Amino acid sequence: MCGIANMCVSCLRSRVDISEAIPKQVSVHFCRQCERYLQPPGTWLQCALESRELLALCLKKLKASMAKVRLIDAGFLWTEPHSKRIMMKLSIQKEVMNGAILQKVFMVEFVIQPQMCEDCHRVEAKDFWKVVVQVRQKTVHKKTFYYLEQLILKHKLLQSTVRIKEIHEGIDFYYASKQHAQKMVDFLCCLFRSKASQRLISHDVHSNTYNYKSTFSAELVPLCKDNVVCLSPRLAQSLGNMGQVCVCIRVTSSIHLIDPNTLQSAEVDGNTFWRHPFSSLCSPRQLEEFIVMDLHIIRDQRLGPSAGLKSSKHTLAEVWVQKTSEMDSSHQYHCRTFLGHLLNIGDLVLGFDFANANINDEFLNKMNPHHVPDVVRQQYTEFLEDLEEDEMLRKNVNIFRDASKVPVESETDDDGAPRISLTEMMEDLSLSDTTGGAGAEMMTD
């Protein structure tokens, strides 16, 4: 037998355990809601299984007990993902008697303990928030608001939302931090004007810290597709001397307008709109049904030298229409339309009767009556129809395939109306995946 002072390596290994101070089983706290791990004292980290981040987090749990040994290697051993166990293989070295260096390989088991983080506690409480973003649109029809909702879903801006509340004329988005709310405000900046305010909740005089609740108020332009508007003379001139009475054909990151008398088109961004605001002249409830009595395509329309762009997707036409409610009379209305490529004699259309309407608009009242047309041709179901007809709108919206429907390969109906092709639909998700669920639970009355 070797003497104590002159032990061989085998005897040293049998009598000296260099890993005895290191615990072989350690607890790691994990939040099931947000799938983050706790790094003491109060930091929660997103770590994938067998990642470098998780390895560093686990080693920090052993740091105090490994102060007198040298870490040579560390790595994960495979375990079942649902076993609530993380197995780690460690190699350490330590100098013992007479300068001898021992090395040992052993395993440490990390037991995953469930613990809800503070952020998820606040979400579950549904009454804790630090910042609210109030999104409003003051208009009768909410086509543009529906489109905005689809953009928010597509860009996944609801992931950090604590609560969503639908109210009159808009939606409130609640957040636990100002940084998350600022992302939403920055996303809405194209067509919104916003202002910020804050209210002091508490003040700690000892640490000189303040607790505020902040509010961002964002107002969307009060316009939707198919709205008839009257521009100010100054704005109409800056857009290439287009007519003051225009039709809004699309609202995306800018307002797309067309002059029904000349086909001249223009885009108005959010900053320009709020400097020279204009509103819809009529509401959808004022639409009346007309029948097309006669139609004449205008092919030689010329714009002035300072005019802007002319739409190539529309056809200018002169139309004579008659109200279906006045078919017993011979009274007809004359107007120009940009929908000459769609209309035929005998078609039923919806239009605004400018000749008999009582409209209180600052710019329209100052216009020459001869420049005001008699009729201008044009809720959620209408928004869906717009998506089906407008390819540019669909680019920013997630469209899912309904497996219960019979697939149709044609991109048009038998009557030539546009349809959404199968190539545009997302096949990896179904309609059942996109309705209800967590998003629906967040909506409150």
Side-chain angles (χ1 to χ4, degrees):
M1 180 179 291
C2 301
I4 296 178
N6 297 299
M7 283 188 181
C8 66
V9 175
S10 299
C11 291
L12 279 175
R13 286 177 177 171
S14 63
R15 295 195 179 191
V16 179
D17 183 8
I18 63 174
S19 67
E20 62 180 350
I22 303 174
K24 304 305 184 291
Q25 189 178 72
V26 183
S27 295
V28 177
H29 294 94
F30 176 74
C31 179
R32 296 174 178 174
Q33 278 72 16
C34 62
E35 298 183 350
R36 294 187 297 175
Y37 293 88
L38 174 62
Q39 178 177 294
T43 304
W44 290 87
L45 301 177
Q46 198 88 32
C47 303
L49 289 176
E50 301 188 7
S51 64
R52 293 174 59 89
E53 294 79 11
L54 184 57
L55 180 65
L57 185 145
C58 292
L59 288 176
K60 286 181 180 179
K61 302 281 288 186
L62 304 173
K63 183 177 181 180
S65 61
M66 295 176 63
K68 296 182 180 181
V69 300
R70 180 185 177 190
L71 179 64
I72 302 300
D73 189 24
F76 291 107
L77 297 176
W78 186 87
T79 55
E80 286 285 348
H82 303 291
S83 65
K84 305 301 179 184
R85 298 289 189 274
I86 299 175
M87 300 300 297
M88 182 181 292
K89 182 179 179 181
L90 299 177
S91 297
I92 61 173
Q93 286 182 351
K94 183 180 181 181
E95 183 178 343
V96 291
M97 300 176 184
N98 300 326
I101 297 178
L102 293 184
Q103 181 169 326
K104 183 175 182 180
V105 178
F106 63 99
M107 292 185 297
V108 177
E109 180 185 48
F110 294 86
V111 181
I112 299 177
Q113 300 288 349
Q115 177 179 327
M116 186 178 291
C117 67
E118 293 182 0
D119 293 338
C120 292
H121 264 297
R122 294 164 182 166
V123 173
E124 290 298 319
K126 295 184 178 179
D127 60 355
F128 181 88
W129 56 273
K130 287 189 175 181
V131 187
V132 59
V133 179
Q134 300 174 338
V135 182
R136 302 289 184 268
Q137 187 188 32
K138 298 178 181 179
T139 183
V140 176
H141 202 291
K142 299 296 183 181
K143 286 185 181 180
T144 307
F145 218 101
Y146 297 145
Y147 179 66
L148 174 64
E149 289 177 348
Q150 297 301 317
L151 288 179
I152 291 175
L153 292 173
K154 183 179 180 67
H155 291 84
K156 300 180 180 179
L157 293 175
L158 300 181
Q159 293 181 343
S160 56
T161 305
V162 173
R163 181 188 178 198
I164 301 175
K165 184 178 181 181
E166 183 177 2
I167 64 172
H168 178 63
E169 292 187 343
I171 299 177
D172 289 346
F173 299 92
Y174 295 85
Y175 296 90
S177 69
K178 198 169 185 177
Q179 292 79 6
H180 293 152
Q182 190 65 51
K183 291 181 181 179
M184 174 66 82
V185 175
D186 293 342
F187 178 79
L188 300 175
C189 67
C190 291
L191 288 175
F192 283 78
R193 63 175 176 182
S194 61
K195 60 180 180 179
S197 62
Q198 59 183 12
R199 178 167 56 96
L200 179 64
I201 303 300
S202 62
H203 174 215
D204 188 344
V205 295
H206 300 289
S207 61
N208 199 29
T209 57
Y210 296 82
N211 180 23
Y212 290 97
K213 280 193 174 183
S214 303
T215 300
F216 289 95
S217 298
E219 183 182 355
L220 178 61
V221 295
L223 298 173
C224 298
K225 184 178 182 294
D226 294 334
N227 281 167
V228 181
V229 300
C230 184
L231 310 179
S232 66
R234 183 177 178 182
L235 179 58
Q237 183 180 13
S238 67
L239 297 177
N241 289 317
M242 68 187 306
Q244 287 184 248
V245 177
C246 299
V247 178
C248 177
I249 57 176
R250 188 181 302 111
V251 179
T252 53
S253 58
S254 59
I255 304 168
H256 299 252
L257 302 174
I258 189 170
D259 184 350
N261 290 312
T262 62
L263 291 188
Q264 185 175 339
S265 60
E267 293 185 21
V268 178
D269 59 30
N271 292 331
T272 303
F273 174 84
W274 294 115
R275 287 198 306 268
H276 306 280
F278 50 89
S279 59
S280 176
L281 298 178
C282 309
S283 69
R285 298 188 183 97
Q286 294 174 281
L287 283 169
E288 296 186 66
E289 188 178 63
F290 295 81
I291 185 171
V292 178
M293 306 301 293
D294 197 7
L295 181 143
H296 174 66
I297 301 296
I298 302 175
R299 304 188 184 278
D300 55 353
Q301 176 71 25
R302 294 183 179 180
L303 301 179
S306 60
L309 297 176
K310 183 178 179 181
S311 174
S312 59
K313 297 182 179 180
H314 303 87
T315 302
L316 189 63
E318 287 187 330
V319 183
W320 287 262
V321 295
Q322 186 172 358
K323 290 183 181 180
T324 55
S325 60
E326 299 177 354
M327 295 302 294
D328 54 345
S329 68
S330 59
H331 181 60
Q332 294 185 4
Y333 301 86
H334 170 263
C335 64
R336 282 193 173 189
T337 180
F338 58 96
L339 301 177
H341 58 298
L342 297 177
L343 297 181
N344 295 292
I345 296 176
D347 286 349
L348 294 177
V349 296
L350 295 177
F352 293 117
D353 184 0
F354 274 81
N356 300 307
N358 183 14
I359 301 173
N360 184 18
D361 182 84
E362 175 187 359
F363 305 126
L364 187 69
N365 294 338
K366 295 178 181 179
M367 284 184 61
N368 187 332
H370 298 290
H371 295 162
V372 179
D374 291 340
V375 176
V376 177
R377 163 73 182 95
Q378 306 295 324
Q379 298 263 19
Y380 188 65
T381 303
E382 295 180 18
F383 168 69
L384 297 179
E385 292 174 355
D386 293 341
L387 281 181
E388 188 172 5
E389 296 172 0
D390 196 328
E391 182 179 355
M392 292 186 65
L393 277 181
R394 294 199 299 270
K395 289 181 180 179
N396 295 317
V397 175
N398 288 334
I399 300 175
F400 304 100
R401 181 177 179 180
D402 190 351
S404 63
K405 304 297 183 182
V406 178
V408 180
E409 295 299 333
S410 174
E411 297 188 7
T412 59
D413 284 330
D414 294 338
D415 58 358
R419 293 180 59 88
I420 303 175
S421 65
L422 292 179
T423 57
E424 292 186 63
M425 300 183 183
M426 300 174 64
E427 296 189 2
D428 56 337
L429 295 173
S430 63
L431 289 176
S432 59
D433 298 327
T434 63
T435 57
E441 292 174 1
M442 297 178 73
M443 297 298 295
T444 58
D445 295 331

